[in-house]
Amino acid sequence: MSRLLLIAFDATEAENGAAFGQKLGLPWDVLCLSGDCSADLGAEKTFKSDRTCDDPADGLASGLLALVRGYSHIAAISSMRSKDVLARLAGLLNAAMVTDAIAIESPSLFKRPIIAGAVIATVEVLAEPVVITFRPAGFGSANRAGSSASESISLSFESTAKVVATTARGGSRPDLTQAKIIISGGRPLRDAETFERVLGSFADQVGGAVGATRAAVDSGIAANELQVGQTGKIVAPDLYIAAGVSGSTQHMAGIKDSKIIVAINKDPDAPIFEFADLGLVADLFEAVPAMQEKLK
Amino acid sequence: MKILVPIKRVVDPYAKVKALADGTGLDTAGLKFEINPFDEIAVEEAVRQKEKNPAIEITVVTIGGAECEEQLRKALAMGADKALLIETADVMDSPSVATELAAVAGELAPDVILMGKQATDDDCNQVGQMLAAKLNWPQATFASKLDLTNSSALVKRETDSGEETLELSLPAVVTTDLRLNEPRYIALPGIIKARSKPLERRAMLTQPKLLTRVTRYEAPPTRAAGRKVGSVDELVSVLRERGAF
Ligand SMILES: Cc1cc2nc3c(=O)[nH]c(=O)nc-3n(C[C@H](O)[C@H](O)[C@H](O)COP(=O)(O)OP(=O)(O)OC[C@H]3O[C@@H](n4cnc5c(N)ncnc54)[C@H](O)[C@@H]3O)c2cc1C
Ligand SMILES: Nc1ncnc2c1ncn2[C@@H]1O[C@H](COP(=O)(O)O)[C@@H](O)[C@H]1O
């Protein structure tokens, strides 16, 4: 039977993932692993788990196994956590998997970027079930309609791995994947203090998030969860301001869905100017404070 | 203690790769091929663990064509002890790679499988987790620090919101992230010197059954060309006009 289960790690993911559920064109249910998701997302059934989902992937995947049997499609928004858990689930199911779907051609045909977004591949699924992670930016927002039946379920997560420590930095700024404005910086920001003083204060002034290149993260200028790109976060804000970012393929792979990309770079030949909607050739240490002044 | 490192030969991650005009494949003519950067990090990590504990034996394995010998030789030059080339001309997907690697693991009985989190050509990020599931071993993906004892692994891993440390009992699968280490540079003479290390070639142990296949490769949609602005004042007013602030 063709049916989709959307796995949402929290209620926001259920909202942001609902458009995928609607576009796939199959009857679908949603499992919300923490929090309460709304009943008007277009799903037939809403499963509410009695457990939160901080468990290691092996426990989560085996806990989900009983519930996902009977579904032809199992999907979640792309994140490090969903890739950790869903690929393991696909392994347990001996299932096909499509990572980072950006478009649905049919329930067995999906488009996804490969080689850091340099090429788009159309992937045909040859056998069901299929496990999918998808980037929500490709699917727009969901039509709110209907009222799904809610069911509480009990999942048992038994993990052989033990969580010894967690550092969730978070803070007061919006999440990178949700932010409307992102101020992002690269290697020239020098150190964590400079990054925070120059870009952090700008982000706070405009209510945005901060992002960084791999070079900035590798040199300790920014925290790892702020890395944007092929192997970091994929973002889609209304405004992405990249200051002191060269524009490598790997970085650009993470920001292509931004509505407006602004580049501030002192090298007029920096590759980022090929992609930016608006480019300013300037020293970021002068341009950024000047922008802040203008916006006061 | 045995560490198995699966590596993949990929097109140079810094090259500009395009789809063939007819959409049937990738145009890699004239491009270099390398060890997938995340797998190179895995090889480096295995070698560093061996430097701390000489009782470790490192086997690198790849599934692919005869040309993959080049990447295996480089891994041997970095410090791996043995290489295994599972030669096939078959098209593989992640489940078939994971199935074959599980069979290899069944035979070699490693304590740790250390491998890349993703291949930079297909960007799948699947095989490590699928392999761990098939073996029913614990997994730690996106590792940024690894401490091994004879019976356990302490892995610091990157998460969406920061970091977490997992303790796994061995055997286990660990996949590498960018910040685990910086691989050593190996010059050509080093690769030639490593030629005396054993490299075994053999056929697949399992029969691949494809669950997905790529039917078309195409260029991504292009963004409309942008323009340069002359000053901060102009930048801010254009952004205001467009409703960005
Ligand atoms: C497997 C792999 C995965 C990767 N994944 C990612 C990823 O996910 N994300 C990512 O970002 N990168 C990734 N990279 C790295 C990527 O290739 C680049 O090395 C990196 O993005 C460069 O970062 P950068 O722009 O900060 O640094 P640089 O390339 O050093 O660029 C700095 C730029 O700042 C400009 N500049 C210097 N001073 C100033 C100033 N005062 N004012 C204004 N401009 C100034 C310079 O002109 C230059 O253009 C990956 C690489 C590999 C191999
Ligand atoms: N053909 C292959 N041979 C050996 N290992 C592979 C192969 N393909 C993928 N891998 C391993 O699986 C990891 C993840 O790959 P992927 O899931 O394709 O992104 C890689 O970093 C390699 O360690």
Side-chain angles (χ1 to χ4, degrees):
Chain A
M1 193 191 57
S2 287
R3 194 175 185 87
L4 162 73
L5 179 68
L6 176 69
I7 297 176
F9 286 87
D10 58 35
T12 314
E13 282 199 4
E15 309 238 332
N16 294 339
F20 178 91
Q22 295 178 358
K23 289 228 163 81
L24 189 64
L26 301 177
W28 63 287
D29 304 322
V30 57
L31 164 66
C32 204
L33 280 164
S34 77
D36 278 313
C37 74
S38 3
D40 63 352
L41 299 175
E44 287 183 8
K45 219 186 264 175
T46 305
F47 294 107
K48 217 175 115 41
S49 154
D50 61 344
R51 290 245 350 222
T52 53
C53 49
D54 308 321
D55 301 59
D58 62 331
L60 262 173
S62 60
L64 289 169
L65 201 54
L67 182 69
V68 303
R69 294 229 190 258
Y71 286 92
S72 59
H73 292 66
I74 300 138
I77 288 182
S78 295
S79 65
M80 293 173 82
R81 177 159 60 175
S82 74
K83 286 174 185 173
D84 191 27
V85 177
L86 267 74
R88 184 167 181 115
L89 184 60
L92 294 176
L93 290 165
N94 275 317
M97 182 160 185
V98 179
T99 300
D100 289 332
I102 54 168
I104 302 168
E105 304 283 285
S106 82
S108 60
L109 214 52
F110 299 89
K111 289 197 178 190
R112 59 178 300 265
I114 59 171
I115 319 205
V119 173
I120 305 295
T122 304
V123 181
E124 183 183 7
V125 176
L126 302 169
E128 291 178 348
V130 56
V131 175
I132 302 159
T133 62
F134 63 91
R135 297 186 181 168
F139 300 96
S141 48
N143 304 317
R144 315 292 294 227
S147 173
S148 51
S150 169
E151 186 179 320
S152 287
I153 50 160
S154 128
L155 297 173
S156 68
F157 301 147
E158 278 186 35
S159 182
T160 50
K162 198 169 98 203
V163 182
V164 181
T166 25
T167 323
R169 276 175 284 253
S172 58
R173 295 191 185 124
D175 187 80
L176 263 178
T177 57
Q178 308 287 329
K180 296 274 177 252
I181 299 180
I182 295 173
I183 314 294
S184 174
R187 203 190 315 255
L189 272 306
R190 287 198 297 266
D191 52 41
E193 188 274 324
T194 312
F195 181 86
E196 196 42 43
R197 178 170 48 80
V198 178
L199 299 190
S201 68
F202 189 16
D204 290 340
Q205 183 182 1
V206 296
V210 286
T213 65
R214 172 192 174 181
V217 177
D218 284 0
S219 30
I221 297 169
N224 63 267
E225 68 275 15
L226 300 182
Q227 181 179 315
V228 171
Q230 178 192 20
T231 54
K233 294 224 161 79
I234 306 299
V235 300
D238 293 340
L239 175 61
Y240 189 88
I241 301 183
V245 172
S246 58
S248 65
T249 329
Q250 291 89 359
H251 189 77
M252 303 320 285
I255 70 172
K256 282 188 177 148
D257 292 325
S258 308
K259 286 213 183 82
I260 305 177
I261 297 174
V262 173
I264 302 172
N265 195 304
K266 68 178 184 188
D267 173 7
D269 297 323
I272 192 154
F273 288 122
E274 289 165 36
F275 305 94
D277 300 288
L278 297 167
L280 178 67
V281 180
D283 185 331
L284 78 94
F285 295 105
E286 288 159 20
V288 170
M291 281 184 85
Q292 286 186 266
E293 192 56 37
K294 277 290 280 182
L295 286 167
K296 268 188 188 147
Chain B
M1 169 179 258
K2 290 193 242 176
I3 302 182
L4 178 65
V5 186
I7 67 173
K8 187 181 187 190
R9 172 186 165 95
V10 299
V11 64
D12 174 5
Y14 293 104
K16 295 251 180 293
V17 183
K18 288 202 179 95
L20 290 170
D22 65 1
T24 56
L26 298 170
D27 185 1
T28 54
L31 299 179
K32 278 189 308 172
F33 282 76
E34 310 275 2
I35 302 179
N36 172 37
F38 291 99
D39 300 344
E40 199 178 355
I41 293 173
V43 174
E44 175 67 33
E45 190 60 28
V47 173
R48 289 191 191 185
Q49 296 292 337
K50 188 184 166 88
E51 284 163 357
K52 281 187 267 179
N53 174 4
I56 288 175
E57 185 191 62
I58 305 166
T59 305
V60 285
V61 57
T62 193
I63 306 166
E67 65 281 4
C68 299
E69 178 176 342
E70 190 189 342
Q71 282 65 43
L72 290 174
R73 293 279 177 212
K74 182 170 176 197
L76 290 171
M78 288 175 72
D81 299 297
K82 296 197 256 180
L84 176 58
L85 172 54
I86 300 183
E87 262 191 87
T88 174
D90 289 333
V91 177
M92 306 281 281
D93 60 5
S94 304
S96 46
V97 172
T99 303
E100 179 66 20
L101 291 177
V104 171
E107 211 179 271
L108 300 184
D111 301 276
V112 181
I113 300 179
L114 198 53
M115 59 200 287
K117 74 165 179 178
Q118 99 192 43
T120 54
D121 53 358
D122 62 33
D123 281 337
C124 277
N125 200 327
Q126 299 173 356
V127 173
Q129 298 89 310
M130 287 179 176
L131 176 60
K134 285 179 195 297
L135 295 168
N136 195 26
W137 291 2
Q139 74 190 45
T141 49
F142 320 137
S144 59
K145 190 170 190 292
L146 173 65
D147 287 304
L148 283 180
T149 71
N150 278 330
S151 59
S152 71
L154 199 61
V155 186
K156 194 163 178 199
R157 56 185 296 273
E158 299 192 357
T159 67
D160 294 296
S161 56
E163 284 166 347
E164 129 185 311
T165 305
L166 286 184
E167 193 183 301
L168 314 175
S169 56
L170 302 184
V173 174
V174 176
T175 78
T176 61
D177 216 321
L178 294 167
R179 281 163 284 276
L180 184 58
N181 60 49
E182 225 173 283
R184 67 198 61 196
Y185 175 74
I186 302 290
L188 198 59
I191 300 181
I192 292 166
K193 244 180 35 213
R195 288 200 88 83
S196 56
K197 287 189 176 174
L199 187 150
E200 183 195 343
R201 287 178 191 76
R202 65 149 120 126
M204 299 257 295
L205 296 167
T206 60
Q207 188 70 41
K209 183 182 167 291
L210 286 190
L211 300 177
T212 55
R213 73 186 169 114
V214 177
T215 57
R216 193 179 151 71
Y217 297 84
E218 63 194 308
T222 45
R223 292 179 67 94
R227 65 181 177 100
K228 286 204 174 107
V229 290
S231 66
V232 165
D233 286 6
E234 188 187 348
L235 178 59
V236 170
S237 42
V238 176
L239 287 174
R240 278 201 169 120
E241 267 164 42
R242 298 202 190 168
F245 288 125

